[in-house]
Amino acid sequence: MRKKIMYSFPDEVLEHVFSFIQSDKDRNAVSVVCKSWCEIERWCRRKVFIGNCYAVSPRMVIKRFPEVRSIELKGKPHFADFNLVPDGWGGYVLPWIVEMAGAYPWLEEIRLKRMVVTDESLELIAKSFKNFKVLVLFSCEGFSTDGLAAIAAGCKNLRELDLRESEVDDLSGHWLRHFPETCTSLLSLNISCLGSDEVSVSALERLVGRCPNLKSLRLNRGVTVDKIANILHRAPQLVDFGTGSYSAELRPDVLLNLAGAFSCCKELKSLSGFWDVVPAYLPALYSVCSRLTSLNLSYATIQNPEIIKLVSNCPNLQRLLVLDYIEDSGLEALASSCKDLQELRVFPSDPFGAEPHVSLTEQGLVAVSLGCPKLQSVLYFCRRMTNAALVTIAQNSPNFTRFRLCIIEPKTADYLTLEPLDVGFGAIVEHCKDLRRLSLSGLLTDRVFEYIGTYAKKLEMLSVAFAGDSDLGLHHVLSGCESLRKLEIRDCPFGDKALLANAAKLETMRSLWMSSCTVSFGACKLIGLKMPRLNVEVIDETEPPDSRPESCPVEKLYIYRSVSGPRFDMPPFVWTMDEERKVMH
Amino acid sequence: METEKDLNLEATELRLGLPGTSNESAKNTTHRSNKRALPEQPMSANIDTASKNCDQETAQHTKAQVVGWPPIRSYRKNCLQPKKSEAEMSGIYVKVSMDGAPYLRKIDLKVVKGYPELLKALEDMFKFKAGEYSEREGYNGSEFVPTYEDKDGDWMLVGDVPWEMFTSCCKKLRIMKGSEARGLGCVV
């Protein structure tokens, strides 16, 4: 009876307290305290994040959280980015939109990643949600400029339209004209993924001119550098700007106008775009360099000394994306100029070339790790590496949260000692206690997985390719990595034993992807049988997996936990176990 | 190096057979079927690459053939192609329509080196005669007027801008006819 009094705050008080709790983790914790807290919390949850759209059905989400205003959904597995997931696999958003159209008339925000979005879905969004504000389509596909026109015309209070890295079908160049003259609410517009023909510059200028709160604008490759000045003059308040194609016939008046326009943008902190750079136009940027915290030059085919000149002028840089044209010398310059650097991504300019034609080696990364104490996140493509370099990097940068190294040739050994790179990556996981994401490459044995299982206790996502000797490797990871959520593996000699021995672990993770490994169809069936809360999907594009002996390895396998059972939209090349324990698709 | 016995995987593993029976199928986990060595290319890949890959069953790690490696998004690979060389290799094909004609044609702006040649080619293609071009009056003396759609989506009179500028911004050609054409005599 004492207990009862303790918990008898009025619901409104609890709801008010809960409104200060924004993170999903905390909200989830609140909801399991007791039944009444669960009930109050679910009515006032406004934001839902669903990391795998097949882990739960739309109806279940709506039933539990009836007053959602913002939803984020992810669809295809990460390896879909590299064409490992066949077209038609799934990730369709339409069923979600249909259900939400009825249940959430006040929905304001939809954020999607790696999902298939059709024009029909976009039209339904425009029609159904009167207060719709934010649409983010990250790496999505399946829609055209017709769908975009519907959004532009239908969403009267649109604040954010972000199409980053999506694939859009160009049907008409004039969808931007569908934003009515009354639309003045845009804060953010990212159309960088559109092809050359898909934007009317005059409509863009007018739109930008009437949106005084526009903070972020990323143009597509079709907009040339001579058009930028007019746009920037209409939006001097921009904080984040993506140029289009940074080229045009070289004319002094264009350069002058451009420099003038950039210098008017006193709030500009982030730049990107830079396709087809004509180096003579780079000086126009110098006035903003001192304020830049983020610079994406990863499409810019410029070389040194232009790159060095640019980054040396950016002392406040926190984030740099660049091609390997920067070379070791450029990275050394970066290390001495940019002491606040937190994130570095270096992409290959010639990923399929046999011989390196730029001088970018392990030395560049060592220099940056030495010179930039705040470095936390690295994505680095290179052609050679040593254990010694990795150990040095690990010791210099114990704060790494994300470390992704891609040595371009699979199974490349330490080029000095010819040994596997086990010790080097072992040092990374041992020293970087907060490491959440790791991608491996180079020659690796089961030993590296032993290190990972022993030390990488906070690791949430691991990507493995062409590594390991036996099931022991996989077993180390599955049994040792306590925080593991996503594991993706390709071309490794991992088979049934480790998977079957650690099947229960899979229910604690979001998903497991394995392709070109040695997991048998029999093992897949067994897991599907024993673990009803896992969806075990086998992908085979050549023939049905049960037309071969059960011991034959499957092509690709995707296992994820789900509370809504097998999905209903599987294409012919995906097989799973249904409730009757039959193999179906 | 630990052996599987030390891990005692067998004691914890889920097995296909009844408890107590030996697990024959586990021995076959390293068996590779022919099908699996067949590659990573989906069925829809063209015949050439499929047959090439059959020959390279054992050489799975040949750089050029490994799907999805190195792990770079495809839009990034496309962006590394400089726009310039694309244009150098292939022509600049634009659609040409004529009011009243039942279907469209295509013309390569690289092949015709300038306006006179372009007009001649269009006249031959659609069997008409354009008028005399002057900067002040546009095309005089014909009911047919050649126009083009530029990058901004606006319809412009052919001939006003320098040839290089025209080829870089022309998206489509349209030969207007009749009263609509007369209205376009001089584009501001």
Side-chain angles (χ1 to χ4, degrees):
Chain A
M1 304 336 105
R2 271 211 123 96
K3 256 193 198 162
K4 214 167 176 187
I5 295 167
M6 262 170 73
Y7 291 128
S8 65
F9 287 122
D11 290 0
E12 301 80 52
V13 172
L14 281 172
E15 207 179 300
H16 181 67
V17 172
F18 295 165
S19 70
F20 294 101
I21 298 169
Q22 302 289 347
S23 98
D24 287 333
K25 255 180 96 184
D26 293 340
R27 281 258 170 182
N28 291 344
V30 160
S31 67
V32 297
V33 165
C34 63
K35 272 197 187 145
S36 67
W37 278 38
C38 184
E39 191 60 18
I40 297 167
E41 192 282 320
R42 79 182 187 88
W43 278 95
C44 66
R45 175 108 49 141
R46 296 280 176 263
K47 231 175 142 170
V48 177
F49 168 77
I50 293 158
N52 175 2
C53 64
Y54 292 120
V56 64
S57 72
R59 290 227 177 125
M60 280 171 146
V61 175
I62 290 167
K63 188 156 177 242
R64 178 156 176 209
F65 301 115
E67 300 280 341
V68 163
R69 298 270 188 278
S70 163
I71 190 160
E72 183 173 347
L73 288 166
K74 296 189 180 180
K76 298 185 205 175
H78 173 241
F79 273 177
D81 284 357
F82 316 125
N83 303 322
L84 288 175
V85 177
D87 278 342
W89 173 86
Y92 305 103
V93 79
L94 186 61
W96 287 87
I97 309 292
V98 167
E99 296 284 350
M100 293 192 300
Y104 295 150
W106 299 111
L107 191 69
E108 294 177 4
E109 305 182 352
I110 295 177
R111 293 178 171 83
L112 305 175
K113 187 170 183 181
R114 274 187 223 105
M115 294 199 76
V116 177
V117 181
T118 54
D119 285 346
E120 191 186 345
S121 309
L122 294 176
E123 282 151 22
L124 196 52
I125 291 173
K127 221 171 37 177
S128 314
F129 308 117
K130 299 297 167 219
N131 206 20
F132 196 69
K133 297 196 170 110
V134 172
L135 183 63
V136 177
L137 302 177
F138 189 167
S139 295
C140 295
E141 45 150 4
F143 59 103
S144 78
T145 44
D146 284 355
L148 296 179
I151 295 285
C155 303
K156 310 286 178 217
N157 294 314
L158 197 65
R159 297 221 181 122
E160 205 175 312
L161 180 61
D162 183 344
L163 307 173
R164 61 174 86 162
E165 299 177 28
S166 292
E167 257 182 61
V168 185
D169 256 344
D170 167 29
L171 294 181
S172 145
H174 312 311
W175 67 274
L176 265 183
R177 297 185 201 265
H178 288 257
F179 278 108
E181 290 300 314
T182 47
C183 171
T184 57
S185 50
L186 276 183
L187 292 178
S188 168
L189 181 64
N190 180 347
I191 51 174
S192 53
C193 63
L194 297 186
S196 295
D197 295 347
E198 290 158 24
V199 157
S200 155
V201 177
S202 46
L204 183 61
E205 279 177 17
R206 286 195 299 276
L207 180 61
V208 168
R210 62 176 184 271
C211 293
N213 298 317
L214 192 67
K215 292 278 188 289
S216 169
L217 176 65
R218 296 195 183 189
L219 306 174
N220 66 320
R221 199 173 179 179
V223 181
T224 47
V225 80
D226 51 316
K227 305 277 194 301
I228 293 179
N230 280 343
I231 294 172
L232 286 178
H233 277 302
R234 286 169 166 81
Q237 75 282 1
L238 282 177
V239 173
D240 167 45
F241 181 61
T243 74
S245 172
Y246 206 69
S247 77
E249 212 182 295
L250 189 51
R251 282 165 43 192
D253 57 321
V254 172
L255 177 57
L256 219 61
N257 284 343
L258 189 61
F262 270 119
S263 64
C264 289
C265 296
K266 305 287 184 206
E267 312 290 328
L268 203 51
K269 293 210 170 58
S270 164
L271 284 176
S272 58
F274 297 112
W275 288 279
D276 321 306
V277 176
V278 165
Y281 279 117
L282 286 174
L285 300 172
Y286 289 165
S287 62
V288 297
C289 281
S290 61
R291 287 188 289 272
L292 281 185
T293 57
S294 170
L295 182 57
N296 184 348
L297 294 172
S298 62
Y299 303 113
T301 50
I302 50 173
Q303 323 244 356
N304 292 329
E306 277 87 20
I307 306 181
I308 294 183
K309 207 159 175 199
L310 212 49
V311 302
S312 308
N313 276 319
C314 302
N316 292 310
L317 208 58
Q318 292 171 18
R319 186 167 183 262
L320 177 66
L321 282 68
V322 72
L323 287 171
D324 58 8
Y325 290 130
I326 194 173
E327 297 191 319
D328 290 340
S329 55
L331 290 173
E332 278 154 30
L334 181 70
S336 54
S337 311
C338 305
K339 295 305 184 186
D340 280 347
L341 196 72
Q342 293 172 23
E343 181 177 350
L344 174 67
R345 299 194 190 198
V346 180
F347 295 95
S349 54
D350 184 19
F352 305 111
E355 291 302 317
H357 64 288
V358 290
S359 178
L360 180 105
T361 69
E362 78 282 5
Q363 296 304 326
L365 189 55
V366 171
V368 179
S369 73
L370 202 56
C372 304
K374 299 188 187 170
L375 193 63
Q376 272 182 25
S377 172
V378 168
L379 171 62
Y380 199 75
F381 284 82
C382 61
R383 286 193 151 85
R384 66 177 210 197
M385 187 53 61
T386 63
N387 282 310
L390 282 171
V391 171
T392 306
I393 291 164
Q395 288 168 343
N396 288 337
S397 308
N399 295 326
F400 276 157
T401 52
R402 289 186 283 272
F403 187 73
R404 296 194 278 164
L405 179 67
C406 180
I407 305 166
I408 289 177
E409 181 67 35
K411 304 198 180 183
T412 303
D414 177 323
Y415 77 93
L416 289 177
T417 65
L418 301 183
E419 285 176 358
L421 291 171
D422 300 334
V423 167
F425 278 105
I428 296 280
V429 291
E430 190 183 345
H431 290 274
C432 306
K433 308 231 186 282
D434 291 325
L435 196 68
R436 292 196 313 262
R437 185 169 179 184
L438 177 65
S439 298
L440 306 172
S441 60
L443 182 65
L444 297 165
T445 71
D446 284 346
R447 211 166 147 213
V448 72
F449 299 109
E450 195 182 342
Y451 291 137
I452 293 172
T454 305
Y455 293 112
K457 295 305 180 188
K458 297 232 178 113
L459 192 66
E460 296 177 8
M461 182 170 179
L462 179 65
S463 308
V464 186
F466 306 104
D469 308 310
S470 74
D471 271 55
L472 213 48
L474 181 56
H475 176 72
H476 283 310
V477 171
L478 289 176
S479 57
C481 297
E482 291 160 6
S483 312
L484 197 62
R485 292 189 299 113
K486 291 178 279 183
L487 179 58
E488 48 184 23
I489 301 172
R490 62 163 296 174
D491 294 273
C492 296
F494 298 149
D496 297 348
K497 277 199 175 327
L499 212 51
L500 294 174
N502 292 282
K505 170 75 174 173
L506 299 179
E507 263 190 21
T508 69
M509 291 165 52
R510 182 186 297 175
S511 65
L512 166 69
W513 169 278
M514 291 177 75
S515 56
S516 306
C517 297
T518 50
V519 179
S520 72
F521 184 55
C524 293
K525 284 204 296 186
L526 191 56
I527 297 175
L529 202 76
K530 296 285 182 187
M531 315 283 299
R533 287 182 304 197
L534 290 180
N535 282 355
V536 178
E537 293 184 9
V538 170
I539 297 171
D540 196 324
E541 292 181 277
T542 52
E543 59 178 10
D546 53 5
S547 64
R548 302 191 293 267
E550 278 198 351
S551 54
C552 286
V554 297
E555 222 177 78
K556 297 173 185 178
L557 125 82
Y558 186 50
I559 302 179
Y560 56 91
R561 64 182 176 188
S562 175
V563 292
S564 54
R567 55 189 177 112
F568 303 114
D569 59 1
M570 281 178 289
F573 51 81
V574 176
W575 280 266
T576 193
M577 303 283 294
D578 72 351
E579 285 113 30
E580 280 89 62
R581 278 102 192 266
K582 285 206 292 278
V583 173
M584 60 163 248
H585 73 86
Chain B
M1 181 93 139
E2 293 179 49
T3 62
E4 287 176 342
K5 273 224 193 86
D6 294 343
L7 270 180
N8 206 3
L9 279 176
E10 273 196 25
T12 55
E13 75 179 30
L14 297 171
R15 290 152 50 110
L16 282 171
L18 292 169
T21 60
S22 67
N23 196 349
E24 284 302 323
S25 50
K27 291 188 189 134
N28 293 329
T29 50
T30 51
H31 165 73
R32 288 176 181 222
S33 73
N34 286 339
K35 290 294 176 195
R36 199 187 79 65
L38 244 192
E40 291 111 354
Q41 301 283 353
M43 286 282 265
S44 52
N46 64 49
I47 306 163
D48 288 338
T49 54
S51 56
K52 215 195 307 179
N53 283 322
C54 281
D55 293 336
Q56 300 191 2
E57 252 174 63
T58 47
Q60 283 182 11
H61 306 307
T62 311
K63 225 184 310 212
Q65 269 79 25
V66 179
V67 170
W69 192 267
I72 307 173
R73 304 281 313 273
S74 39
Y75 69 81
R76 255 186 206 288
K77 292 183 224 162
N78 297 338
C79 290
L80 292 175
Q81 306 309 316
K83 258 162 110 179
K84 247 190 319 200
S85 70
E86 241 178 60
E88 270 156 40
M89 288 191 302
S90 59
I92 307 175
Y93 280 91
V94 294
K95 290 184 189 170
V96 192
S97 64
M98 178 153 106
D99 294 352
Y103 54 83
L104 281 63
R105 302 293 304 274
K106 265 203 166 160
I107 191 167
D108 183 351
L109 295 180
K110 283 195 106 108
V111 169
V112 295
K113 304 277 191 275
Y115 285 121
E117 281 190 42
L118 172 65
L119 290 172
K120 179 94 184 18
L122 293 176
E123 287 171 343
D124 286 343
M125 223 181 237
F126 286 100
K127 309 282 180 284
F128 74 101
K129 268 242 152 281
E132 276 290 312
Y133 173 76
S134 70
E135 222 182 274
R136 206 163 64 89
E137 293 180 352
Y139 289 87
N140 236 335
S142 163
E143 59 170 342
F144 297 101
V145 179
T147 64
Y148 70 98
E149 186 183 13
D150 75 353
K151 274 189 178 153
D152 293 338
D154 300 315
W155 286 94
M156 317 286 291
L157 189 72
V158 168
D160 287 338
V161 302
W163 178 253
E164 278 71 31
M165 196 185 285
F166 169 73
T167 54
S168 68
C169 66
C170 170
K171 295 293 146 226
K172 284 188 201 155
L173 284 161
R174 176 182 165 199
I175 300 161
M176 289 192 182
K177 187 180 160 187
S179 53
E180 212 182 333
R182 273 185 274 281
L184 198 68
C186 186
V187 176
V188 174

